[in-house]
Amino acid sequence: MSRYQYSVYKRETGSAGGKAKNDAYDILLKEGFRPTYTPQNNRQIRIMQQIFSISRLRADTELIIQYPAISRELMNILLKKIKHISSATALIHDLPSIQGMGGTFENEITTLNYFDNLIVHNRVMSKYLMKMGYKGKIVELGLFDYLHDSTKPITECNKSGVISIAGNLDKSRYVCELGKLRDCYFNLYGINKTLDLSNIYNAKYFGVLNSDEIVYKLEGDYGLVWDGESIDECSGIYGKYLQYNNPHKLSLYIAAGKPVITWKKAAIAQFVERENIGITVDSLRELEKIDLMKDYDAKRSNVLKIKNRIANGYYLSQAIESIYR
């Protein structure tokens, strides 16, 4: 039996998506899934490489593809081919139909039903896909890995209660309301082309750090997983999506040794509570009254245990074993 992974074009994107897919590529390689081709820098050449690599897939192939990762046109070519191979697995990074990135629920399920197996983020996403009509085997990842050197020093927590926010700030409109939170202080990291942060007295902007650098330089005591336009709840399409997905920034915070704060209705809230690695709230206004340092050392100790797992690709390796054992 031949094991292949559909190749991804590895590069630093300055976003969580790039790091997540690059890490998955390396973990799958370690698990024996060879790349279908070696991507060239020229886009037109890469397209020809992809078409040719699809045509070469043999009947005795176990294939894993990171979803979504290729254009609709190439996906259609691939779907026709995978009906004739031994097995095909989709590692779900995002579901565009509920992420607000286009497409219908029905079309997405039709596409996913071509795959024998899905690796999904969590139980909520698993139940959703089964309800929508997915008929294959589903394995829950639990947490995205974040490959890094776990022996390298990280920024110490000084227990002052400062909260870090990392990610695409342009889509995190709630950041503009942080000034309403008394005695709460924030460190901001990430892309910001549209938000005026100058009037937020309790926030300091650190700019953009690449995904391998930020792990060791993220300052603060907690990492915040929040989305949408309001500090009162995770609202809008981004807030809805948080009820299904595992944001990659959760893994970033854990890699940086930070306990997390997140929305009680977020899909990751159960993981955070079960593993005792942070705090869940209905509204960020609750942070004005919560003692953030209560049981902090225990939470951080639990974070550091998980940090060692994601540094080595534990979660994806476990998912692969569940599918192919």
Side-chain angles (χ1 to χ4, degrees), residues 103-239:
T104 66
F105 304 113
E106 293 78 12
N107 287 343
E108 187 143 66
I109 290 298
T110 297
T111 296
L112 294 178
N113 265 321
Y114 277 85
F115 293 89
D116 304 284
N117 314 292
L118 299 182
I119 300 175
V120 305
H121 297 193
N122 52 58
R123 181 61 52 84
V124 176
M125 186 177 286
S126 174
K127 288 182 176 180
Y128 166 79
L129 290 172
M130 286 189 288
K131 180 180 178 181
M132 292 301 296
Y134 178 71
K135 298 177 174 61
K137 180 178 180 179
I138 295 179
V139 172
E140 294 155 16
L141 185 63
L143 183 67
F144 278 104
D145 295 296
Y146 200 109
L147 301 185
H148 65 286
D149 182 356
S150 60
T151 67
K152 188 174 178 178
I154 53 179
T155 302
E156 288 297 321
C157 303
N158 59 24
K159 297 186 179 181
S160 61
V162 175
I163 301 166
S164 292
I165 300 172
N168 186 347
L169 301 180
D170 285 331
K171 74 180 187 67
S172 304
R173 309 297 300 182
Y174 74 90
V175 167
C176 296
E177 296 189 349
L178 293 178
K180 297 178 181 179
L181 302 176
R182 294 168 298 162
D183 300 322
C184 296
Y185 297 91
F186 301 88
N187 294 329
L188 309 180
Y189 299 81
I191 298 170
N192 176 43
K193 298 178 181 178
T194 62
L195 302 185
D196 181 6
L197 307 177
S198 60
N199 295 322
I200 307 176
Y201 77 95
N202 55 346
K204 182 179 179 181
Y205 180 52
F206 286 79
V208 179
L209 300 179
N210 71 48
S211 55
D212 292 320
E213 179 184 11
I214 192 172
V215 171
Y216 312 105
K217 295 185 177 181
L218 192 74
E219 298 187 17
D221 300 308
Y222 281 89
L224 179 63
V225 182
W226 199 264
D227 226 329
E229 300 184 0
S230 173
I231 60 174
D232 293 307
E233 64 175 348
C234 290
S235 57
I237 189 67
Y238 297 125

Side-chain angles (χ1 to χ4, degrees), residues 260-286:
V260 299
I261 298 168
T262 194
W263 189 34
K264 276 188 182 293
K265 295 180 182 178
I268 61 169
Q270 291 183 354
F271 182 88
V272 171
E273 292 172 352
R274 182 178 69 249
E275 300 294 333
N276 190 28
I277 57 169
I279 297 168
T280 61
V281 296
D282 289 309
S283 165
L284 291 183
R285 295 184 190 275
E286 295 176 32

Side-chain angles (χ1 to χ4, degrees), residues 302-313:
N302 292 333
V303 166
L304 295 177
K305 292 175 185 176
I306 299 174
K307 169 183 168 69
N308 290 328
R309 294 177 190 167
I310 63 175
N312 297 294

Side-chain angles (χ1 to χ4, degrees), residues 1 169 248 322:
M1 191 70 68
L169 301 180
H248 194 251
S322 295

